[in-house]
Amino acid sequence: AELVVLYMWPREEGWDYELVDAYQKRGGGLIVIHMALMQGSGEEWSKRIGLAWDRKRDGTKWGVLPTPITLTEAARESPIFERFPERLDLADEFYWELRGDTTKITPLVTSPAGPAIANKPLPDPPNIDDLDGKAWPVMWTTEVGRGRVFVSGVGHNYFTFNDPHFRIILLRAMAWTMNESFDPFKPLVTAHLER
């Protein structure tokens, strides 16, 4: 495989990090979406994808994604976000206070966070006064071995995958991880509209 896309979290038992390491060493690409950030304590998984869910009691928090989200300078230079506006609306959930080394990732999209929720239905987007004012990574890239990784902390809501902007981001990220052109992926952006 040249690309593996993960949406659900990998099983904690029997997870073979050596297999992932060999895959990334030879140049295999990874796309990690939302719940696939959860793997064990997050310590080992973060070494392969940059940041991961921290299962410690005071670890990762989650809540409603405040919109609009902000593209970083790196995103404006990335083919993944070519010609995108500086700010973008996405209705979703996201995670913050992830485990890992932020100096080893390239944040592409950031957002302030708050308030955290715990196993409750997602409320309306938070008021700006309730946000922490920090720039938490929402989407990022990293390179491990010869392999490229794109991570999206959003993707909780199934309807997010019907958003043409999100589809473009994911499909461009797939092309980027494989060092391929985005052109063959373009028809997939609007494929659901043609039915």
Side-chain angles (χ1 to χ4, degrees), residues 24-194:
Q24 290 184 301
K25 184 177 181 179
R26 71 172 173 78
L30 288 176
I31 302 286
V32 178
I33 304 169
H34 195 61
M35 290 195 303
L37 285 161
M38 299 177 187
Q39 169 56 33
S41 69
E43 183 175 357
E44 289 301 316
W45 196 218
S46 68
K47 293 175 186 174
R48 281 99 182 152
I49 66 169
L51 303 174
W53 183 275
D54 186 345
R55 289 200 184 267
K56 295 186 302 186
R57 187 180 181 110
D58 60 347
T60 299
K61 300 187 174 37
W62 70 98
V64 177
L65 178 68
T67 60
I69 53 179
T70 304
L71 273 61
T72 65
E73 191 64 40
R76 288 190 286 280
E77 297 172 8
S78 169
I80 298 170
F81 287 92
E82 185 178 341
R83 295 186 304 279
F84 264 73
E86 186 177 326
R87 298 174 73 76
L88 181 67
D89 285 315
L90 281 175
D92 214 285
E93 175 185 80
F94 90 115
Y95 308 137
W96 65 96
E97 293 191 21
L98 297 164
R99 173 177 270 190
D101 184 350
T102 57
T103 66
K104 294 186 178 179
I105 66 167
T106 302
L108 299 174
V109 177
T110 62
S111 177
I117 60 173
N119 297 328
K120 298 176 190 171
L122 291 178
D124 292 329
N127 295 321
I128 196 158
D129 296 337
D130 296 333
L131 303 179
D132 62 13
K134 297 180 180 178
W136 296 101
V138 177
M139 297 179 191
W140 64 88
T141 57
T142 189
E143 296 188 35
V144 180
R146 291 177 42 226
R148 290 178 162 186
V149 179
F150 172 83
V151 180
S152 171
V154 299
H156 178 87
N157 297 327
Y158 293 135
F159 60 75
T160 299
F161 294 89
N162 287 328
D163 182 315
H165 288 114
F166 192 64
R167 279 191 179 197
I168 290 169
I169 293 165
L170 285 181
L171 294 169
R172 283 181 177 175
M174 290 177 189
W176 176 82
T177 60
M178 296 187 296
N179 292 302
E180 295 287 343
S181 167
F182 173 61
D183 290 346
F185 291 89
K186 286 179 183 178
L188 298 174
V189 174
T190 57
H192 71 289
L193 302 174
E194 297 169 4

